[in-house]
Amino acid sequence: MRGWWQDLGDLVLPAECGGCGRPRTMLCPECRAALNGTAPSRVRPVPEPPGLPVVHAAARYEDEVRAVLLAHKERGALALAGPLGTALAGAVRTGLGGALCGNTDVLLVPVPSARRAVRARGHDPARRIALAAAGELRGSGMPARVLAVLRQRRAVADQAGLNSRQRLDNLAGALSVAEGGGRLLAGAGAVVLVDDLMTTGASLAEAARAVREAIGGAETGGVNGAERSGEVGNVRGAKNVVYSEAGREGRGQRRTGATAMGVERRSGVSGMVALGAFGGMICAAVVAATPDSFEINRN
């Protein structure tokens, strides 16, 4: 209900730019350019956490971009999900590059916020942005959907003020995939972990661990063609986790069976390595990352 009122308020009340505060505009041209005006880039935090997949970001987390993300996440400027989703879609496209072919499924898997944070904010920022990004990608011909299967299986401490090592320890084993979600992930052409922001990479690394574990479990259990091509909304334990439209968050759709050459970067392993029976690829995309993480060509 709180989210509904915020959506209504965004429509009927005078707005101000989420980046610079300019009146009567949701996002001014200058702030929109800061968010979407440059090509998305590969990013790596330092130190890079073990298991972090390849990550691409649309913008540096500073100045106007930082203000826009905080306005959406903390101040309920829900209309900003549109431009933030556009930025995220650009990072997804760059990350996937030419790895996909045909009508291969692209599943956007948002990193979930803590339950207490969702209650306090009245919405889950990463999922809302992911839904907008999926719509943007479908509009450009990429069959993308949101698969919200990640769950927090234990409480974690507030990440603010924790260093890289402490964040890894705090999040270790904190996420899991909903029962039945592994079957959906295992048949995808690409699984893209998505979030609004990457700082240390600990959240994305933990999400990647949970996804790999679920895919491995689904493969070990013997996923057959009927399970992969069935109505995804009816998979036991994962009902209503696939979203095809931002305004229809409970509607399952049929999956396609095509897959692409599967490659994944693993921490500590040079280059790209083939996955097992999983026919797709796992990568990550975020709206913004810390400025230092853009400096990836280090000796």
Side-chain angles (χ1 to χ4, degrees):
M1 181 64 72
R2 176 181 173 184
W4 185 88
W5 279 109
Q6 288 174 326
D7 281 330
L8 180 63
D10 285 343
L11 291 174
V12 302
L13 297 176
E16 63 179 25
C17 174
C20 65
R22 183 182 299 180
R24 299 190 178 280
T25 178
M26 176 186 69
L27 194 63
C28 73
E30 291 81 3
C31 292
R32 191 178 295 272
L35 184 62
N36 293 303
T38 58
S41 300
R42 171 80 180 276
V43 289
R44 289 186 190 137
V46 176
E48 184 174 356
L52 182 70
V54 171
V55 186
H56 284 77
R60 286 169 167 77
Y61 186 61
E62 57 187 1
D63 304 329
E64 296 91 345
V65 172
R66 180 178 183 275
V68 170
L69 280 171
L70 289 176
H72 175 258
K73 177 183 286 187
E74 305 294 352
R75 299 202 298 275
L78 303 183
L80 291 172
L84 289 170
T86 299
L88 180 61
V92 171
R93 287 192 199 96
T94 300
L96 294 177
L100 299 182
C101 60
N103 293 320
T104 302
D105 269 352
V106 176
L107 300 181
L108 306 186
V109 180
V111 177
S113 298
R115 294 186 186 92
R116 62 179 179 276
V118 173
R119 288 194 297 269
R121 294 167 179 154
H123 73 122
D124 188 328
R127 194 175 80 170
R128 185 177 289 271
I129 295 170
L131 289 164
E136 177 79 14
L137 292 167
R138 288 194 301 273
S140 65
M142 182 180 290
R145 294 170 295 162
V146 175
L147 186 68
V149 288
L150 284 173
R151 303 285 185 268
Q152 287 205 335
R153 62 185 179 188
R154 65 169 177 79
V156 297
D158 190 339
Q159 296 275 79
L162 300 182
N163 61 31
S164 300
R165 180 72 259 172
Q166 290 168 332
R167 290 189 179 208
L168 281 174
D169 293 341
N170 184 41
L171 292 173
L175 297 179
S176 64
V177 170
E179 184 181 357
R183 300 189 188 103
L184 306 179
L185 295 166
V191 175
V192 187
L193 303 168
V194 295
D195 208 346
D196 56 350
L197 172 65
M198 183 188 75
T199 52
T200 66
S203 296
L204 288 172
E206 170 58 17
R209 181 208 58 76
V211 165
R212 293 186 190 107
E213 185 176 284
I215 289 173
E219 290 170 349
T220 302
V223 182
N224 59 43
E227 287 174 324
R228 290 189 178 187
S229 61
E231 186 72 21
V232 296
N234 294 327
V235 174
R236 189 170 77 87
K239 185 175 182 181
N240 293 337
V241 295
V242 176
Y243 303 98
S244 61
E245 300 178 39
R248 299 180 182 179
E249 294 189 2
R251 184 179 177 181
Q253 290 189 344
R254 292 190 180 273
R255 303 157 56 89
T256 59
T259 56
M261 180 74 73
V263 290
E264 175 191 3
R265 180 183 179 280
R266 291 180 181 169
S267 180
V269 179
S270 177
M272 308 294 285
V273 295
L275 295 177
F278 174 48
M281 61 181 291
I282 299 174
C283 59
V286 295
V287 175
T290 53
D292 287 349
S293 65
F294 281 79
E295 306 301 325
I296 66 172
N297 296 318
R298 304 181 180 93
N299 295 321

